[in-house]
Amino acid sequence: DGTVTLLRLPTRRYYARASAPPALCAHTRPVSSLAWSHSCRLLLTSAADGAAALWDVGADRPPAAPLIKLAHDSPAHGASFFYLDRFILVGAGNTLHLYSYALQRAPNDDAARAAELRHAWRRHHSWPLEHAQTLTCFGAPNSFLSPIVVAAGSDRSLVALDLGTGQQVLTIADAHERPVHTLRLSEGSACADAPAAGCDLFLSAALDGALKLWD
C-alpha cells in the first residue's frame, strides 16, 4: 500500500497492545526497495510510483515527511546509497540515475535540535540500458569507495559501469535464462580483513533457479 513500517525490537517493550508501530507514508504505489545508509541514520525507499524518498529515522519519533523526494516518470525498481553515503543511485524505467545531496540544519538553531533539515540535491548523470525495456535491479557497494556499479536489464543482460569515467566496462548478454532480480557486490567485513580479489566478484540471481558468481 506504499507504506513502510518501522519496528523496534523487542516489540513487547516498545509498543503497547493498542498502539501500532509507526509508518512512513510517501508513496502511492507498492514499495520496491529499502536501503540503509552506512551511518544507519538514513533510510532510502523507492516505489512503483516512480519516487525515491530519503528519510531521517535516527530520531525518537518517526518523520512525518521525507527529507528528499526524487520523482521519475517511470516506476522505480530500486534505490541505494553509494560511495559511503555521498551519492544516491535510483533505477527507474530502463535508466540508472546518480544523485548528489546535502543535508544542513537551519542556521542559528543550535537550541532546537529537532529543527527540520534543509536539503539540496542534484542529478549528475543517467545511464540508460539501450537494449533493455526495464532495468530490473542493480548492485553497488557502499561500505567502501568504489566507482563500480552492476545493472541488470529485462533482456537478461548484465552491465558493469564505472561511474568515475561514465563508461561501460563489461557487458554480459544472456547472463541468465530469465531476467535477473538480485545483484550483490562484495561489501567486505567489518570484523575481518577480506581478500582484495573479493572486490572483483559479484552475485546474480534470477527466476531460472540459478545463483551465479561472476569475476
Side-chain angles (χ1 to χ4, degrees):
D1 60 356
T3 62
V4 175
T5 302
L6 298 176
L7 286 175
R8 181 172 292 186
L9 302 179
T11 55
R12 268 185 297 180
R13 176 180 177 184
Y14 293 103
Y15 310 113
R17 292 184 178 181
S19 64
L24 306 178
C25 301
H27 300 289
T28 58
R29 298 284 302 278
V31 175
S32 57
S33 73
L34 303 171
W36 289 102
S37 66
H38 186 65
S39 65
C40 295
R41 179 180 176 86
L42 301 175
L43 179 66
L44 194 58
T45 64
S46 67
D49 59 6
L54 178 66
W55 307 85
D56 182 358
V57 293
D60 294 335
R61 294 183 178 180
L67 303 175
I68 294 175
K69 192 171 184 179
L70 308 171
H72 306 85
D73 295 332
S74 303
H77 305 288
S80 72
F81 293 94
F82 180 60
Y83 219 68
L84 287 176
D85 298 344
R86 297 183 188 180
F87 299 95
I88 292 174
L89 290 170
V90 181
N94 72 333
T95 304
L96 181 69
H97 304 277
L98 176 68
Y99 295 91
S100 64
Y101 66 100
L103 304 176
Q104 296 181 349
R105 291 196 178 277
N108 302 322
D109 204 16
D110 295 337
R113 295 184 179 181
E116 294 185 359
L117 292 170
R118 299 183 178 223
H119 58 266
W121 59 270
R122 182 165 71 95
R123 178 159 49 189
H124 283 272
H125 197 71
S126 299
W127 291 269
L129 301 184
E130 297 179 357
H131 302 293
Q133 185 176 3
T134 304
L135 187 152
T136 57
C137 65
F138 66 89
N142 187 44
S143 60
F144 57 89
L145 302 179
S146 170
I148 300 299
V149 176
V150 181
S154 56
D155 59 348
R156 298 178 285 122
S157 66
L158 295 176
V159 175
L161 300 167
D162 184 341
L163 270 55
T165 63
Q167 303 296 317
Q168 290 189 16
V169 295
L170 177 67
T171 300
I172 303 174
D174 298 327
H176 284 258
E177 296 179 4
R178 299 285 298 276
V180 175
H181 60 69
T182 301
L183 283 169
R184 291 291 183 269
L185 279 71
S186 173
E187 292 278 356
S189 172
C191 304
D193 293 333
C199 297
D200 296 327
L201 303 177
F202 66 93
L203 284 167
S204 63
L207 291 179
D208 57 3
L211 178 69
K212 296 187 178 183
L213 177 65
W214 305 86
D215 186 346

